[in-house]
Amino acid sequence: MTNKNTIAAKLDVDVIRKDFPILKRKVNGQSLVYLDNAATSQTPQQVIDAIVDYYQNYNANIHRGVHSLSQEATDAYETAREKIRAHFNIGKRHEVIFTSGTTHAINLVASGFTHFLKEGDEILVSALEHHSNIVPWQMLCERTGAKLRVIPMTMNGELKMEEYHRLLSERTKLVFCNHVSNALGTINPIEGIIGAAHKVGAAVLIDGAQAAAHIKSDLQKLDVDFYTVSAHKMCGPTGVGILYGKEKWLNKLPPYQGGGEMIAEVTFEKTTYANLPHKFEAGTPNICGGIAFGAALDYMNTIGFEAISEYEDALVDYATEQLLAIDGLKIYGTAKHKTSVVSFNIEDIHPYDIGTILDKMGIAVRTGHHCAQPIMDFYQIPGTVRASFSFYNTMEEVDKLVEAVKKAKSMLL
Ligand SMILES: *Cc1c(COP(=O)(O)O)cnc(C)c1O
């Protein structure tokens, strides 16, 4: 039995919860229990304040104005880029490319690789991928004639590493894998994945959208070629994220979109491109979003990622233990290393029906395939009920979830 109190004591969750105005909300007459953090996290007042401050005090376009507001906005945006660099221990600030999120970042890389692949080349993707990390590669394969191969998974939701090593060859040009699976919570052994890929000369993109809220990664130490993050999964706003790329790759890849900001010189005969990072940042970016992303990192670092992940692990352990005590409940994704997600079904009750009843009780969970249909096909289920936790959730909320699931079961069976 997890000792709820000792672990909770390391984080003052009651104080933390006061930072999140939305947690005071009622939903269907009940106090909101927000357990859909893997889809998007909630926003603390500190980040909301940064957004309001921007629009109230220094809203202006960046990088081109000589006037004061433009310079203030530029400084704040570039300061945010520096915070992101420092947080992920990225070597150079211009290796941080602002994007609209992970999906945009992955598409940017997939588009760029069109120039480097040919028939006979292979791209390996893990069986645990989000659709946003499958479809762009399929499109890339269609464009180039390269072949997509899948690293298979076990019933526990872990990648079969021996199969991965078998699939790697000098034909492998790219390997794509998420750091943490949004559907099952598996933490993938990315150090081993990256190291082995580099031995055969393949580049590696790790989708960190799910991991970044729970694990502070040192990207230089990982020696990863590309890493993607979405701010909205880590207390930031929607519509902003980053692509980290090693400088040598970013120099090689062609620009993804043409427009303002990404050019050095334009004539109708020929355009030359701006230096990094601007080469990949065409048009007016999400200025306020980037600044707010920096504020979100400040907020989470003040709490501390070690305390966050330890506490979230305790929530997951407690939820797992309590849910498994329900007769007929099955948990999908039982990897040894997992974080923040509990995906489950009860006998053959449709997950949607459970989710609907939970919503009536104020509990927000996700139901369905979680943008990871191949995983659901693997288990031969239509989907799961997914409870996903953040550091502002409480053990009492886990108790509420468990009670509500029991009630739903008694209503539906
Ligand atoms: C959320 C998520 C994505 C997609 O992120 P967007 O912000 O929607 O672009 C991709 N991969 C994983 C693992 C995710 O959790």
Side-chain angles (χ1 to χ4, degrees):
M1 167 89 201
T2 309
N3 187 338
K4 303 198 262 182
N5 296 326
T6 42
I7 292 170
K10 288 198 184 169
L11 274 193
D12 200 340
V13 181
D14 289 340
V15 171
I16 288 171
R17 287 177 70 82
K18 292 201 175 78
D19 292 334
F20 292 82
I22 206 168
L23 299 179
K24 297 190 196 79
R25 250 205 77 162
K26 299 260 187 249
V27 170
N28 294 321
Q30 310 281 328
S31 295
L32 168 67
V33 175
Y34 186 77
L35 301 177
D36 194 17
N37 294 286
T40 200
S41 56
Q42 293 303 343
T43 318
Q45 190 63 48
Q46 288 82 342
V47 173
I48 298 170
D49 287 346
I51 295 168
V52 171
D53 182 41
Y54 171 80
Y55 281 111
Q56 279 185 346
N57 295 309
Y58 62 102
N59 176 30
N61 211 334
I62 53 171
H63 293 145
R64 27 194 153 192
V66 291
H67 62 81
S68 299
L69 287 195
S70 173
Q71 283 171 12
E72 282 175 33
T74 304
D75 285 350
Y77 192 64
E78 291 306 322
T79 300
R81 194 192 305 272
E82 168 57 24
K83 283 179 188 172
I84 294 163
R85 185 207 64 72
H87 178 81
F88 292 101
N89 193 28
I90 290 167
K92 295 170 181 144
R93 199 187 299 175
H94 60 248
E95 291 173 322
V96 178
I97 308 296
F98 276 114
T99 64
S100 69
T102 289
T103 303
H104 174 187
I106 292 172
N107 278 281
L108 187 162
V109 176
S111 165
F113 265 84
T114 308
H115 304 265
F116 307 138
L117 296 184
K118 56 177 190 325
E119 229 174 301
D121 288 341
E122 291 181 354
I123 303 175
L124 301 189
V125 300
S126 94
L128 286 168
E129 292 318 300
H130 189 278
H131 292 168
S132 77
N133 211 358
I134 301 173
V135 183
W137 310 121
Q138 287 172 330
M139 291 162 66
L140 174 59
C141 286
E142 273 171 30
R143 287 195 299 272
T144 60
K147 197 166 162 210
L148 197 68
R149 309 198 67 180
V150 179
I151 310 161
M153 62 187 264
T154 65
M155 287 307 277
N156 291 345
E158 290 170 329
L159 292 177
K160 291 187 176 166
M161 288 300 279
E162 65 290 0
E163 295 281 325
Y164 170 60
H165 289 287
R166 221 175 41 73
L167 283 167
L168 279 172
S169 74
E170 73 284 0
R171 288 185 302 277
T172 315
K173 294 295 178 283
L174 285 164
V175 175
F176 297 94
C177 180
N178 56 37
H179 191 170
V180 169
S181 155
N182 65 302
L184 305 180
T186 309
I187 302 174
N188 288 311
I190 59 169
E191 294 84 354
I193 289 172
I194 295 163
H198 285 168
K199 286 215 174 89
V200 301
V204 183
L205 186 154
I206 300 292
D207 164 1
Q210 201 56 238
H214 312 287
I215 301 166
K216 185 165 175 161
S217 292
D218 180 331
L219 298 188
Q220 285 187 91
K221 191 157 156 229
L222 278 173
D223 195 30
V224 67
D225 301 284
F226 301 99
Y227 195 90
T228 64
V229 180
S230 294
H232 72 94
K233 299 222 174 145
M234 47 188 320
C235 297
T238 55
V240 67
I242 61 137
L243 168 69
Y244 158 72
K246 278 186 186 164
E247 184 180 38
K248 68 162 192 198
W249 276 114
L250 295 177
N251 280 333
K252 260 201 214 174
L253 291 183
Y256 178 51
Q257 292 180 314
E261 193 82 13
M262 54 75 74
I263 41 83
E265 203 175 348
V266 178
T267 66
F268 282 110
E269 287 70 44
K270 185 167 170 52
T271 293
T272 52
Y273 304 122
N275 292 333
L276 294 174
H278 308 293
K279 172 179 157 189
F280 293 107
E281 295 183 350
T284 300
N286 184 347
I287 302 165
C288 176
I291 294 167
F293 186 7
L297 287 180
D298 286 344
Y299 178 79
M300 291 189 77
N301 279 313
T302 304
I303 296 171
F305 275 75
E306 241 165 73
I308 286 173
S309 54
E310 191 177 337
Y311 176 64
E312 288 169 344
D313 287 349
L315 285 171
V316 168
D317 288 349
Y318 182 59
T320 302
E321 191 178 276
Q322 297 297 306
L323 285 168
L324 281 178
I326 300 173
D327 230 20
L329 186 142
K330 178 163 185 208
I331 289 180
Y332 296 89
T334 48
K336 191 154 160 262
H337 298 290
K338 68 177 275 187
T339 178
S340 66
V341 169
V342 182
S343 242
F344 62 93
N345 278 327
I346 303 177
E347 298 184 16
D348 49 10
I349 303 177
H350 199 283
Y352 179 81
D353 295 333
I354 297 177
T356 308
I357 292 175
L358 294 188
D359 179 58
K360 293 274 181 303
M361 297 159 93
I363 301 174
V365 292
R366 180 58 62 112
T367 63
H369 54 57
H370 319 300
C371 294
Q373 226 161 353
I375 299 179
M376 304 303 141
D377 292 346
F378 174 80
Y379 289 119
Q380 298 183 319
I381 51 176
T384 66
V385 181
R386 180 187 71 185
S388 53
F389 302 94
S390 180
F391 56 90
Y392 44 71
N393 290 124
T394 64
M395 298 292 173
E396 291 67 35
E397 287 180 316
V398 174
D399 291 336
K400 281 190 187 171
L401 168 72
V402 173
E403 281 317 304
V405 170
K406 284 183 188 160
K407 190 161 168 200
K409 181 188 163 191
S410 70
M411 289 166 74
L412 293 165
L413 267 190

